[in-house]
Amino acid sequence: MATAQTDSTTRKKSDTIRIGNIIIIKHGRNKDGKEIKVSMGKNDKKRNSNISTNWWIVDLGFANYNDNTNYANAGSYLVSRPGYPALNGSDFKLKAGKSINVNIWFFMQKLNLVQHYVNLKYGLGLELNNYRYKSPISYRESGTIPYTAGTQTNAPFIFRDSISFSKNKLAADYLTVPLMLNFASNPNKIRKGISGSIGVSAGYLYSQRNKQVSDERGKDKNKGDYDLERFKISYIAELGLGPVRLYGSYSPKSMYEHSLDIKPYTVGIRLSNW
């Protein structure tokens, strides 16, 4: 006597067709082929793109520097006022809370290297640094050297001014390209995981100016070549803790071409999706 086979033993394996994120499943019912059922649905598992782009990222942070200058050998770049102490490191101290770094990145891209856990990250943007001084130092590209009876020079110089300023800052702005190696603990939910990046950036100085505000002169903005280095190389890093993004940079080379040994750094918060 033959034993009737159950539907579970006669059911054929389903055929699955995937079109993009749509799944089509064809079900076979039994051997006699009387009925075929087709079902469609979306694949809920989202696949990360190998290249992702983040537009218009903004950094808000603080700018400062390490000053290792030998002021005894600064030469004619620093002009001291007769009867007063020579310019020294105290004259270049900053108001830390008012020395600001703002970066505006036109875009940043992330290129998958190892299953989205390791990525190459790069971009293009503007790096804007404002150094607010405590002392009344002033920058000049050239011209009459103060306190020297009309002596003229074609070289840039810095001097301690004869008035006080309510605002005295040096602005140094760069067009910058960052390149980093990025690591992500949870690439599918980046805002819930931990991420980090480390690398270098190359910047080109396109603007430098000394902006001052005083009762005697009002608002005064001097633009010129103050002997700042045109090219800037920095070590850079960022840390992502859930939705919070932190960044930092440090330049191993002085921001000045001659005389002063001042190495800038920045720290702050990055407003970015990843």
Side-chain angles (χ1 to χ4, degrees):
M1 178 177 176
T3 303
Q5 291 181 312
T6 64
D7 184 66
S8 61
T9 61
T10 60
R11 185 179 301 275
K12 295 181 180 178
K13 293 183 179 179
S14 301
D15 292 330
T16 302
I17 302 173
R18 186 189 305 272
I19 304 175
N21 66 339
I22 304 298
I23 298 176
I24 301 175
I25 303 176
K26 182 175 69 175
H27 303 273
R29 185 175 182 183
N30 50 36
K31 287 184 178 182
D32 60 14
K34 289 184 178 179
E35 182 179 349
I36 294 177
K37 182 180 178 182
V38 177
S39 59
M40 299 176 62
K42 288 187 176 181
N43 181 13
D44 293 331
K45 185 176 180 180
K46 185 178 179 180
R47 297 182 63 185
N48 293 324
S49 173
N50 283 329
I51 298 180
S52 55
T53 305
N54 202 348
W55 300 95
W56 299 109
I57 300 167
V58 176
D59 294 344
L60 302 174
F62 297 100
N64 213 315
Y65 47 65
N66 292 326
D67 187 356
N68 300 311
T69 302
N70 182 354
Y71 285 93
N73 295 325
S76 60
Y77 186 55
L78 302 182
V79 177
S80 297
R81 187 177 181 185
Y84 290 81
L87 285 170
N88 55 54
S90 297
D91 293 286
F92 290 86
K93 288 187 178 297
L94 301 177
K95 294 182 178 180
K98 294 185 177 180
S99 296
I100 304 300
N101 166 246
V102 176
N103 302 323
I104 302 172
W105 304 106
F106 306 134
F107 75 93
M108 279 197 181
Q109 283 190 326
K110 193 164 58 174
L111 173 65
N112 173 35
L113 295 180
V114 183
Q115 297 181 350
H116 302 282
Y117 288 98
V118 181
N119 309 277
L120 185 65
K121 194 171 181 179
Y122 51 89
L124 175 67
L126 302 179
E127 181 184 352
L128 314 176
N129 301 289
N130 294 293
Y131 301 102
R132 288 282 294 272
Y133 295 114
K134 294 181 178 181
S135 68
I137 59 173
S138 293
Y139 287 76
R140 294 292 184 270
E141 181 179 22
S142 60
T144 303
I145 301 177
Y147 323 124
T148 59
T151 302
Q152 298 286 319
T153 180
N154 292 323
F157 59 91
I158 303 173
F159 65 98
R160 188 186 293 122
D161 218 314
S162 58
I163 64 172
S164 297
F165 300 102
S166 58
K167 182 178 182 179
N168 184 23
K169 74 174 185 179
L170 173 67
D173 303 334
Y174 301 82
L175 180 67
T176 301
V177 176
L179 181 65
M180 297 177 284
L181 198 60
N182 169 261
F183 305 91
S185 65
N186 189 349
N188 294 320
K189 296 181 179 179
I190 193 66
R191 295 183 68 84
K192 293 185 178 181
I194 298 174
S195 64
S197 304
I198 188 168
V200 296
S201 69
Y204 174 76
L205 180 70
Y206 68 88
S207 177
Q208 48 187 307
R209 57 200 179 277
N210 183 204
K211 185 176 181 180
Q212 299 169 321
V213 178
S214 65
D215 293 336
E216 292 85 348
R217 301 173 189 166
K219 293 182 179 180
D220 189 14
K221 183 187 294 186
N222 297 309
K223 292 185 178 181
D225 183 353
Y226 301 141
D227 199 46
L228 270 64
E229 282 279 4
R230 282 291 173 185
F231 294 95
K232 177 184 177 183
I233 301 296
S234 300
Y235 301 126
I236 57 175
E238 64 178 7
L239 177 64
L241 302 172
V244 180
R245 302 282 182 273
L246 306 175
Y247 75 93
S249 71
Y250 173 75
S251 179
K253 187 177 181 181
S254 176
M255 60 187 286
Y256 291 86
E257 190 172 353
H258 304 99
S259 303
L260 301 181
D261 185 7
I262 291 179
K263 299 172 181 177
Y265 63 86
T266 62
V267 292
I269 296 176
R270 175 159 291 164
L271 306 179
S272 172
N273 292 329
W274 43 253

